[in-house]
Amino acid sequence: MSERVLTTLSTTAITWQYGTDDVFNAWFNIGNGAIYRGHPVFAVYLGDYLEQLLVTCCKNGTCPKCAIVREDTGQDTDPYQPFRNLEKVLDALDEANVSNVTFSRACRDVGIKPVCQPFWSDLPYVNIFQSITPDILHQLYQGVIKHVCSWLYEAYGADEINARCCRLPPNHQIRLFMKGISKLQHVTGKEHSDICRSLLGLVVGLPIRDRLSPVRLVRSVRAILDFLYLARYPAHTSNTLDLLRSALERFHANKDIIVNLNICNHFRFPKLHSLDHYLLLIKPFGTTDNYDTHYMGCLRTDFAKEAYRATNHRDEFPQMTIPSPSPVTGIPAPLPLPVHAPAGPHPSYSRIKMTKWLSVKGLRWHDFIISYSNPALTCAQVENASLGVCYCVATISVFHKLKIALEDAQQLGIGHHTRHHQQGQPVPARFDTVLVNDGTGGASDIQGYRIGRVHLIFTLPKKICNGFLPGVIAPGPLAYIEWFTAFTDPDPVHGMFEVTRCRGPAPGHARLASDIQVKSICRSCHLFPVAPSAVLDLCDSFWVSPFSDTHMYMTLI
């Protein structure tokens, strides 16, 4: 009898042992002293494509889940492709006791390699072909997205895409590749994730070679990004699953432009075909964050790479595995248990950092004073009433940092965590463009929201509040916002919203700005300049990026 104990929580222990019938029994020791008996069942297997082939005994270039012909892999989409017939596979494996020739022929007929007694053949209630789960890291980031980037380099030119990377406005959610993205070597999944945040903005408006229309290429890029972000949702409904299937269909409907440009001759990529199975696997196994190999990669970094660096590189195995009081030769401290964000409107925070120098000097806030004390006045009445307002102070208090709580876009109580850099510290935000709630906006959808650029955050002095707002509760921190136009219909090709700067009448055409309460700011947002050679200060028209993070995508979708 073999036995091992795994501690999952500080008050819970699970003891595994073989029973008399060679079936696993699990004894759960709960903190209150009660012991429960259970029977674990092999459910899912996590691994990259090569590991999936080894486990399922399938051949290279084929699908480890379904029996699709190799020549048809990736050519079209069918989310309801049936899995391999487990009964026929088990019957072929039973031929190993007959002869080697018969066993090899039987395995070849069912499309697997002749492997004797794989570990899953005798496990009860197990269908190994259904247990192979989606893998966002290897199938999308290190698979399809990697192919898409190489296609774009060939279609638009690597030099132009690299030049556009240097022109993107900064944002705390966006990583700027100042040397371009085509020269990156050994690109990791994290770097591909950063590239996806600005990939669509790099190609919108660029002409492609051979004088062909770039419409289908842009639509295919938008479709695969939609599929990626929808697949990463922390919760799914019937509507989001329909959007997931629609995104994959749009990609296959427009991907022929890659062949017309002679960039590639076929789409027989097993990782591209694996996207067909996402819809059927999310329903029984839940969202993809339950079985993403990215989490195992983090553990490998913490418990293998970092532990090896802490050794003297001689006889390192005992130093990496045996606890030691020395912080140099001991293994890394155990990872803290994940803390689930509580349900509510403030699950997590995102920082915004003020610029070093003021963008606007000599701020006038009389319009806000009149509109705040008399909310029923129209804009014209506020302008007339503000002409008689004078100030009795010359300075105001300015804030350089502000924290904004991200609301749950799906209204399911799921928090959105802050972004961290390679050292593990939160990435500080910037004061560029923000999404402002005009008072009618909800947790999702763009109705009731406007884009603005923050120039200053300040508070009114008590002397002004007591003199100009008698009997009224003093407002909190205020923000000086430069406004952009309201949202209209999205672009029919790439689906992004276009906004322009609000300007006053001739002859000056001054940029329109106003003071608002900081609590009206929903979150930061990222804008792509419509003119490829312009930056945030010089361009007037912008595309609102929905791919800065998952929360922004949920808001704009």
Side-chain angles (χ1 to χ4, degrees):
M1 179 182 296
S2 63
E3 180 177 316
R4 59 175 177 165
V5 177
L6 302 176
T7 302
T8 57
L9 296 175
S10 59
T11 58
T12 305
I14 305 177
T15 302
W16 305 76
Q17 67 180 19
Y18 280 107
T20 56
D21 52 354
D22 291 335
V23 177
F24 272 121
N25 297 327
W27 301 92
F28 299 86
N29 187 6
I30 310 302
N32 59 4
I35 299 178
Y36 297 90
R37 180 183 179 185
H39 303 279
V41 177
F42 180 82
V44 298
Y45 181 85
L46 282 67
D48 57 16
Y49 177 67
L50 295 180
E51 293 171 344
Q52 293 174 0
L53 294 180
L54 291 175
V55 170
T56 57
C57 307
C58 294
K59 299 178 182 180
N60 191 18
T62 62
C63 178
K65 299 186 62 65
C66 66
I68 187 174
V69 181
R70 181 180 299 184
E71 287 72 17
D72 296 337
T73 301
Q75 298 298 323
D76 203 352
T77 175
D78 183 10
Y80 301 103
Q81 184 79 16
F83 298 136
R84 293 178 182 267
N85 194 320
L86 181 62
E87 295 182 358
K88 293 183 179 180
V89 172
L90 294 178
D91 292 340
L93 295 176
D94 292 337
E95 298 295 331
N97 300 326
V98 180
S99 65
N100 293 335
V101 176
T102 305
F103 178 54
S104 299
R105 184 181 296 110
C107 292
R108 181 185 58 191
D109 294 339
V110 295
I112 65 173
K113 296 179 181 179
V115 179
C116 296
Q117 295 182 349
F119 74 91
W120 44 265
S121 59
D122 296 331
L123 294 179
Y125 313 109
V126 173
N127 186 343
I128 188 61
F129 305 112
Q130 186 179 6
S131 299
I132 300 298
T133 55
D135 183 9
I136 298 292
L137 176 61
H138 295 97
Q139 294 174 352
L140 281 171
Y141 285 128
Q142 298 291 67
V144 178
I145 296 299
K146 184 177 181 179
H147 285 291
V148 170
C149 291
S150 63
W151 297 337
L152 297 180
Y153 301 153
E154 293 289 336
Y156 293 102
D159 294 337
E160 180 60 29
I161 292 181
N162 293 335
R164 276 202 164 193
C165 292
C166 305
R167 305 179 190 132
L168 292 178
N171 186 272
H172 78 287
Q173 296 285 359
I174 302 298
R175 175 181 174 181
L176 297 180
F177 296 89
M178 302 308 297
K179 296 182 179 180
I181 58 178
S182 65
K183 299 180 181 180
L184 295 176
Q185 298 181 355
H186 306 291
V187 185
T188 63
K190 179 64 171 59
E191 290 174 331
H192 273 132
S193 176
D194 294 333
I195 292 174
C196 290
R197 299 174 188 268
S198 56
L199 184 61
L200 186 60
L202 298 177
V203 300
V204 168
L206 279 180
I208 60 178
R209 57 184 175 87
D210 299 337
R211 297 183 179 181
L212 295 178
S213 173
V215 171
R216 288 186 296 167
L217 185 57
V218 173
R219 285 177 177 173
S220 60
V221 174
R222 173 62 196 242
I224 203 63
L225 291 177
D226 284 338
F227 186 91
L228 170 62
Y229 277 73
L230 288 168
R232 294 174 56 235
Y233 265 28
H236 277 290
T237 62
S238 299
N239 294 333
T240 59
L241 292 179
D242 291 340
L243 293 175
L244 185 71
R245 181 178 60 181
S246 175
L248 188 59
E249 292 176 350
R250 285 188 285 114
F251 172 77
H252 283 279
N254 295 278
K255 71 179 187 302
D256 291 338
I257 184 64
I258 307 298
V259 178
N260 297 338
L261 292 171
N262 296 323
I263 297 177
C264 68
N265 298 325
H266 61 84
F267 295 94
R268 292 193 295 269
F269 308 123
K271 293 182 179 180
L272 177 59
H273 166 73
S274 65
L275 307 185
D276 292 349
H277 301 297
Y278 275 54
L279 185 64
L280 290 182
L281 293 175
I282 288 177
K283 293 180 178 180
F285 296 128
T287 54
T288 55
D289 55 357
N290 293 324
Y291 36 80
D292 191 356
T293 55
H294 169 72
Y295 300 105
M296 294 188 298
C298 295
L299 296 178
R300 180 182 62 183
T301 301
D302 295 332
F303 292 102
K305 295 183 179 180
E306 296 296 337
Y308 178 78
R309 296 189 184 105
T311 65
N312 59 3
H313 300 175
R314 293 185 179 180
D315 194 18
E316 67 279 354
F317 185 74
Q319 303 177 50
M320 296 170 59
T321 56
I322 299 177
S324 172
S326 174
V328 178
T329 59
I331 63 174
L335 293 177
L337 293 176
V339 179
H340 297 281
H346 304 292
S348 60
Y349 294 92
S350 174
R351 293 185 178 181
I352 299 180
K353 187 178 180 180
M354 183 63 185
T355 54
K356 184 177 181 180
W357 305 106
L358 295 179
S359 301
V360 179
K361 297 181 180 180
L363 178 66
R364 302 174 59 189
W365 59 82
H366 53 277
D367 290 345
F368 176 81
I369 293 176
I370 300 299
S371 60
Y372 186 83
S373 57
N374 300 281
L377 296 181
T378 63
C379 295
Q381 292 173 337
V382 170
E383 184 68 22
N384 294 331
S386 63
L387 298 177
V389 177
C390 60
Y391 302 114
C392 54
V393 293
T395 59
I396 58 175
S397 300
V398 176
F399 288 94
H400 290 262
K401 290 185 179 181
L402 178 68
K403 293 183 179 180
I404 299 177
L406 295 181
E407 296 183 353
D408 180 15
Q410 288 186 305
Q411 301 181 356
L412 298 175
I414 301 175
H416 301 272
H417 303 284
T418 56
R419 188 165 177 256
H420 296 75
H421 54 58
Q422 295 180 353
Q423 286 72 29
Q425 299 296 328
V427 176
R430 302 178 57 93
F431 269 122
D432 25 38
T433 49
V434 294
L435 196 64
V436 182
N437 191 339
D438 63 3
T440 62
S444 61
D445 199 6
I446 61 171
Q447 298 297 329
Y449 288 94
R450 289 277 300 275
I451 300 294
R453 187 181 183 187
V454 178
H455 285 279
L456 187 68
I457 294 179
F458 64 97
T459 56
L460 295 177
K462 293 183 179 180
K463 192 173 183 180
I464 291 183
C465 294
N466 296 333
F468 293 93
L469 301 174
V472 180
I473 300 177
L478 308 177
Y480 184 75
I481 299 291
E482 177 189 346
W483 290 109
F484 292 80
T485 56
F487 288 105
T488 56
D489 295 333
D491 187 86
V493 177
H494 51 72
M496 291 189 294
F497 295 93
E498 183 179 5
V499 294
T500 58
R501 298 184 188 275
C502 293
R503 293 186 177 274
H509 297 290
R511 297 178 180 180
L512 299 183
S514 63
D515 302 326
I516 64 171
Q517 298 189 71
V518 165
K519 65 180 182 180
S520 300
I521 299 177
C522 175
R523 53 157 299 136
S524 66
C525 62
H526 189 230
L527 301 182
F528 296 134
V530 173
S533 60
V535 293
L536 186 61
D537 292 323
L538 302 179
C539 187
D540 280 344
S541 299
F542 300 88
W543 302 111
V544 182
S545 172
F547 301 112
S548 58
D549 55 41
T550 306
H551 182 273
M552 190 67 182
Y553 184 81
M554 294 178 181
T555 304
L556 296 182
I557 190 64

